[in-house]
Amino acid sequence: MVPDESRSYLVPFVSGTLFGYLDSRNQAVAIPAIYDWAKPFEGDYACVMKDGKFGCIRRSGELVLPIEYDAPIYFNTYGFAKIKKGIKYGLCGPNAEIILQPKYLNVGDRVSLGYVRVLNDGKWFYVDVDGNKKSPRVYNDATDFNDKGSAFVYIEDRGKYGDSKWYAIDADFNDYSGCVYRGDVLIKK
């Protein structure tokens, strides 16, 4: 892809030991060098670091996520970003808004159908965007819900034979008509 020469891009630069951003068209300083580290912009946001903590800025230089997180903030292809404080994770949305506060050992990559998968105490479950538990049970592993309204969950020792399997569930957390997911194949019982 050839860059659009008429569009301005902000690119990180270093002055001494500090990072800022230059306007690619005229090489003018767009955001002063005040950060200890700066990542290139992804869409409208860039991750910056100061004093060992991370935050997020807009192209205007406005801080949209405070510089208080313990890991770099990367927006994924769905527009969401994990945020980390200590050993706990939360989730930030496409407009850099906090969706889930960092209180989980891990979180899924996005909100889908109003749910986010989260990990605590070694088990996965689904919460809504207010952090309320929605899945009736916990799972040994789980995927994010896909755009068709299903997710896959791994349940150990389920059934009369104590077998462990991947199950397809719908957005109401029901098994898909007795279908079981094994490896990469969806099997009807």
Side-chain angles (χ1 to χ4, degrees):
M1 180 166 147
V2 177
D4 179 356
E5 295 298 328
S6 66
R7 184 166 181 223
S8 175
Y9 295 92
L10 298 183
V11 293
F13 78 96
V14 179
S15 177
T17 60
L18 297 177
F19 286 74
Y21 293 87
L22 293 177
D23 185 312
S24 63
R25 283 187 300 184
N26 58 18
Q27 298 299 301
V29 173
I31 299 172
I34 59 172
Y35 302 106
D36 299 332
W37 176 84
K39 186 177 182 312
F41 275 86
E42 295 176 9
D44 293 328
Y45 307 109
C47 178
V48 294
M49 181 187 78
K50 223 175 185 180
D51 300 323
K53 297 289 183 177
F54 298 88
C56 195
I57 61 172
R58 287 187 204 281
R59 291 180 177 279
S60 65
E62 172 193 3
L63 194 61
V64 292
L65 287 176
I67 300 175
E68 61 184 32
Y69 298 101
D70 295 317
I73 300 163
Y74 298 103
F75 284 85
N76 62 32
T77 56
Y78 301 110
F80 295 91
K82 291 182 182 184
I83 51 175
K84 182 181 181 187
K85 279 189 175 179
I87 62 167
K88 301 289 183 160
Y89 287 89
L91 193 66
C92 169
N95 295 315
E97 75 280 14
I98 302 296
I99 294 172
L100 292 177
Q101 292 294 330
K103 62 180 188 175
Y104 303 99
L105 291 176
N106 203 349
V107 296
D109 293 324
R110 64 180 176 153
V111 175
S112 182
L113 305 177
Y115 302 124
V116 180
R117 70 185 164 104
V118 297
L119 175 70
N120 261 353
D121 299 323
K123 299 289 184 178
W124 289 93
F125 54 98
Y126 295 89
V127 298
D128 63 17
V129 293
D130 294 320
N132 301 309
K133 184 177 176 194
K134 291 299 178 181
S135 53
R137 63 175 301 155
V138 296
Y139 309 101
N140 298 88
D141 201 353
T143 66
D144 292 325
F145 277 92
N146 63 31
D147 296 334
K148 298 196 187 295
S150 62
F152 295 104
V153 294
Y154 188 76
I155 303 171
E156 289 184 1
D157 301 319
R158 179 177 167 160
K160 63 182 179 182
Y161 300 108
D163 50 348
S164 301
K165 297 177 187 156
W166 282 95
Y167 291 83
I169 60 171
D170 63 21
D172 294 321
F173 305 101
N174 299 312
D175 286 352
Y176 263 130
S177 358
C179 292
V180 177
Y181 187 72
R182 288 195 178 125
D184 59 356
V185 178
L186 191 61
I187 303 169
K188 182 129 177 133
K189 287 187 196 178

